[in-house]
Amino acid sequence: MRLSIDAFLDYGFPEPADVLLQIEAAALPDQWLEAQSLVIESDHPIRAVMGEEGIGQRTWATAEHRLVAHYRAVVDIRRATPPLAALPHTPAGLLPPQTIPYLLPSRYCESHRFDHFLRRSFGGLRGGDLAVALSEWVRSNIDYDGVGSDGRSSALDTFAERRGVCRDFAHLLVALARAGEIPARCVAAYAPGVEPPDFHAVVELWLGGAWHLVDPTGMAHADEIARVCVGRDATDIAFMTIFGSAWLQQQRVSVTRLLD
């Protein structure tokens, strides 16, 4: 699967502020960057730094009055997608060290609050079988609706409200998976078919000795998702973190499939 990506950001600033951008698709073994460019209109130097887990990169910029960023890329995705249900469970004590942070509660993923719900609703399921059941539960029980959701909504809020946007779906699945002893992390991504078109948030689950992509909204398939970065929750994967205040002037994201 080859994707064409076009993302444009235009924000205004009442006073100078540092801005951390994460909008570039990551170069990884299962997704190749055929071409890409990031143009940032700024009178100040910009600086690239590595993303979490060494996946992707962040870009520091200083915004004064206005910040405009335009990212374009062509990404070739060649990713095996084995059935999740066939993947075995790994006991917590045998997990690789790098997966441990993704087994613990985090700011927006209060996995410790879902223990009773997991035991009552999914008792007896482990590994891939549990992952499939949790993904289907989130997809079936949460409505895609931005009303009532904001940057402060957590997995517990989404569980109570039964609605949210992609980051809320991702937070809830991550929290449920962690409660079921499956390491889970949030992933910022680009994907075709997302409605409304925007930066997208999905999930990676550690099963059978590897990370596997899952879109709990059901809008994107694992073999057509271009990862940008990964993290414990939305704190780590935000496409833009502003150390100050700003207002949105224009933002658009377009992701289209290319014919080979």
Side-chain angles (χ1 to χ4, degrees):
M1 174 66 66
R2 296 173 66 245
L3 300 179
S4 174
I5 298 167
D6 192 316
F8 179 80
L9 306 175
D10 185 351
Y11 282 75
F13 292 78
E15 57 188 22
D18 289 322
V19 177
L20 187 59
L21 295 172
Q22 289 192 111
I23 60 174
E24 298 172 78
L28 296 166
D30 60 357
Q31 59 182 52
W32 306 341
L33 302 179
E34 292 186 6
Q36 73 165 343
S37 69
L38 174 61
V39 178
I40 298 175
E41 297 180 17
S42 174
D43 294 330
H44 302 274
I46 62 173
R47 182 169 64 94
V49 295
M50 188 174 294
E52 292 286 330
E53 299 287 325
I55 295 175
Q57 71 174 19
R58 299 175 166 120
T59 300
W60 279 107
T62 300
E64 191 169 353
H65 304 300
R66 186 183 182 199
L67 180 72
V68 176
H70 194 181
Y71 175 67
R72 292 173 174 158
V74 175
V75 183
D76 186 357
I77 299 171
R78 303 186 184 183
R79 177 178 302 131
T81 55
L84 289 185
L87 300 174
H89 169 74
T90 302
L94 299 179
L95 287 168
Q98 69 269 22
T99 68
I100 302 305
Y102 303 111
L103 192 62
L104 305 176
S106 60
R107 179 178 178 181
Y108 294 110
C109 301
E110 314 98 315
S111 51
H112 59 295
R113 301 291 299 276
F114 292 95
D115 288 341
H116 178 70
F117 175 71
L118 258 290
R119 288 196 301 271
R120 180 174 181 179
S121 301
F122 302 95
L125 295 180
R126 306 280 281 180
D129 288 333
L130 177 60
V132 170
L134 294 176
S135 300
E136 291 178 349
W137 188 93
V138 172
R139 189 174 303 125
S140 300
N141 288 275
I142 308 300
D143 294 328
Y144 196 95
D145 183 354
V147 177
S149 173
D150 59 29
R152 296 168 294 179
S153 299
S154 71
L156 204 58
D157 295 324
T158 303
F159 184 77
E161 291 288 333
R162 291 294 201 271
R163 61 184 179 181
V165 294
C166 60
R167 78 187 286 277
D168 303 309
F169 279 70
H171 281 158
L172 183 53
L173 179 56
V174 163
L176 292 171
R178 291 176 185 172
E181 297 185 7
I182 300 174
R185 62 191 187 188
C186 290
V187 181
Y190 293 106
V194 173
E195 290 294 338
D198 204 346
F199 298 103
H200 199 39
V202 296
V203 173
E204 279 189 319
L205 304 176
W206 180 268
L207 293 163
W211 290 106
H212 299 274
L213 281 163
V214 177
D215 182 359
T217 71
M219 288 191 285
H221 300 290
D223 60 356
E224 58 180 14
I225 293 172
R227 299 187 207 83
V228 174
C229 56
V230 303
R232 294 161 299 172
D233 53 36
T235 306
D236 297 332
I237 67 167
F239 72 89
M240 175 184 282
T241 303
I242 300 168
F243 295 84
S245 58
W247 65 87
L248 170 64
Q249 299 189 141
Q250 184 181 2
Q251 179 174 304
R252 65 175 185 270
V253 177
S254 173
V255 183
T256 57
R257 301 177 182 90
L258 297 177
L259 297 176
D260 290 330

